[in-house]
Amino acid sequence: MVLSELAVRLNCAEYKNWVKAGHCLLLLRGCLQGFVGREVLAFHSRLLAAAPGLGPRAACSGGWRCSPRARQFQPQCQVCAEWKREILKHHTNRNGDVHWGNCRPALWPVDAWEVAKAFMPRGQADKTGPEECDAVALLNLINSCDHFVVDRRKVTEVIKCRNDIMHSSEMKVSSVWLRDFQMKIQNFLNEFKNIPEIVAVYSQIEQLLTSDWAVYIPEEDQRDGCDTGVYLSESQVNEIEMELLKEKLQELYLQVKEQEVLPEEILNQLEVVKEFLRNNEGLRNGLTEDMQKLDSLRQQHLKPDSKEPGVQTPEGKA
Ligand SMILES: [Zn+2]
């Protein structure tokens, strides 16, 4: 039964494109994690070498008063104030949004990843390393931190594509769009010619996007499409779909929380996802919790008597 649901879904070329594009993002994330992790450690060491006073022996003395919230951070101690200055010095977006709320400043002297999170988009507070991050978080870090020497236009092009994928309310992209995405993602990968694990993904993505992407169905013992295809099992495709939908719901969740989008628009987007899940029981079962979390936050925000919408949930609680 689940199998036929998947077959029906993939029969829609534009949905299949959407899942393929999402698969590329997962491959991209996979090849960036190790690299980014190593570079963040190197960046942290470099900062400490230049400013030894910020190292492990420095301690925040501000306690809870040195807690950032969303884009706001007013350090209440010398150490945090100096760290903030140092971070901004390397921030390519220092006059724009810096999501200080991602960070626990008291850990800056000892935890490189807490520093990295100041260069990332919102929603990273509970992440402790690159292996917990999605592609867009890693791309934003590469884009915003001047430690990464890269053509930033190529990074932002991929970030834009990722947003197209996640914000597509119908969960569909055209084949023309997909070809454009392939070009942009490969332009980006070409920036890392000396990183073997990133180079390896270049051809994987090429194969994936140019193949018919046949799904291997063992029960029927047949592979549709020709021999040059990339074959995935039904459960592999399901896993990709699930990851994508989870990211999409998380994105909606953050949009509701930060009240970035009109309630009606959220409602419309949610209706499309619900309708989609109504017809796809296999996916629906795996997303019940995410849907409930989103629904209850939305209800909470709709209440007219909530005194200060958007901040009544404690920071870091998700
Ligand atoms: Zn402090």
Side-chain angles (χ1 to χ4, degrees), residues 60-62 66 77 80:
C60 165
S61 57
C66 280
C77 82
C80 290

Side-chain angles (χ1 to χ4, degrees), residues 241-297:
E241 291 176 289
M242 198 68 89
E243 282 245 27
L244 270 175
L245 288 163
K246 272 183 185 290
E247 190 172 334
K248 186 177 170 58
L249 292 177
Q250 173 66 9
E251 185 95 357
L252 276 173
Y253 182 88
L254 291 172
Q255 284 178 335
V256 174
K257 195 173 170 193
E258 311 251 321
Q259 299 189 305
E260 292 169 343
V261 181
L262 292 171
E264 309 88 75
E265 200 179 312
I266 294 281
L267 192 62
N268 289 340
Q269 289 220 36
L270 209 53
E271 277 310 311
V272 178
V273 178
K274 278 185 181 164
E275 177 61 30
F276 174 80
L277 293 178
R278 248 193 292 281
N279 302 319
N280 293 284
E281 194 190 355
L283 291 174
R284 184 171 69 229
N285 293 339
L287 294 167
T288 315
E289 211 178 297
D290 304 73
M291 289 302 283
Q292 279 168 353
K293 195 177 100 174
L294 183 53
D295 256 336
S296 67
L297 180 72

Side-chain angles (χ1 to χ4, degrees), residues 20-29 31-32 135 139 153-155 157-159 161-162 165 177-192 198 201-206 208-209:
K20 273 178 156 185
H23 191 199
C24 285
L25 289 178
L26 295 177
L27 289 172
L28 182 63
R29 173 182 78 177
C31 79
L32 287 178
L139 289 168
R153 279 168 312 177
K154 293 179 181 171
V155 187
E157 288 290 346
V158 178
I159 292 175
C161 289
R162 179 270 176 192
I165 296 168
W177 185 93
L178 198 61
R179 270 195 295 280
D180 184 55
F181 176 51
Q182 179 180 355
M183 197 182 66
K184 284 169 178 166
I185 203 165
Q186 291 187 327
N187 281 343
F188 167 77
L189 294 172
N190 269 332
E191 292 286 293
F192 304 91
I198 298 184
V201 161
Y202 186 99
S203 52
Q204 266 178 282
I205 284 180
E206 180 149 60
L208 166 67
L209 290 182

Side-chain angles (χ1 to χ4, degrees), residues 96-236:
D97 287 340
V98 178
H99 293 272
W100 299 109
N102 285 336
C103 309
R104 283 166 293 175
L107 293 176
W108 281 339
V110 289
D111 188 339
W113 197 252
E114 286 299 323
V115 178
K117 292 197 290 190
F119 299 89
M120 298 167 90
R122 59 179 166 34
Q124 303 294 316
D126 54 348
K127 306 286 195 295
T128 58
E131 63 288 342
E132 294 174 11
C133 294
D134 53 26
V136 76
L138 301 173
L139 289 168
N140 271 290
L141 167 62
I142 291 172
N143 193 35
S144 303
C145 178
D146 69 2
H147 173 77
F148 294 91
V149 182
V150 48
D151 182 345
R152 299 202 138 65
R153 279 168 312 177
K154 293 179 181 171
V155 187
T156 49
E157 288 290 346
V158 178
I159 292 175
K160 273 190 226 151
C161 289
R162 179 270 176 192
N163 291 339
D164 288 345
I165 296 168
M166 285 305 152
H167 300 160
S168 157
S169 56
E170 299 282 335
M171 294 171 282
K172 291 173 181 172
V173 296
S174 72
S175 299
V176 174
W177 185 93
L178 198 61
R179 270 195 295 280
D180 184 55
F181 176 51
Q182 179 180 355
M183 197 182 66
K184 284 169 178 166
I185 203 165
Q186 291 187 327
N187 281 343
F188 167 77
L189 294 172
N190 269 332
E191 292 286 293
F192 304 91
K193 286 211 167 92
N194 50 349
I195 315 292
E197 73 257 33
I198 298 184
V199 172
V201 161
Y202 186 99
S203 52
Q204 266 178 282
I205 284 180
E206 180 149 60
Q207 254 193 318
L208 166 67
L209 290 182
T210 53
S211 80
D212 190 38
W213 204 43
V215 176
Y216 178 49
I217 303 170
E219 288 88 41
E220 296 177 10
D221 197 31
Q222 63 159 46
R223 293 166 171 201
D224 54 334
C226 53
D227 280 335
T228 56
V230 173
Y231 298 104
L232 291 175
S233 69
E234 172 211 335
S235 68
Q236 282 172 311

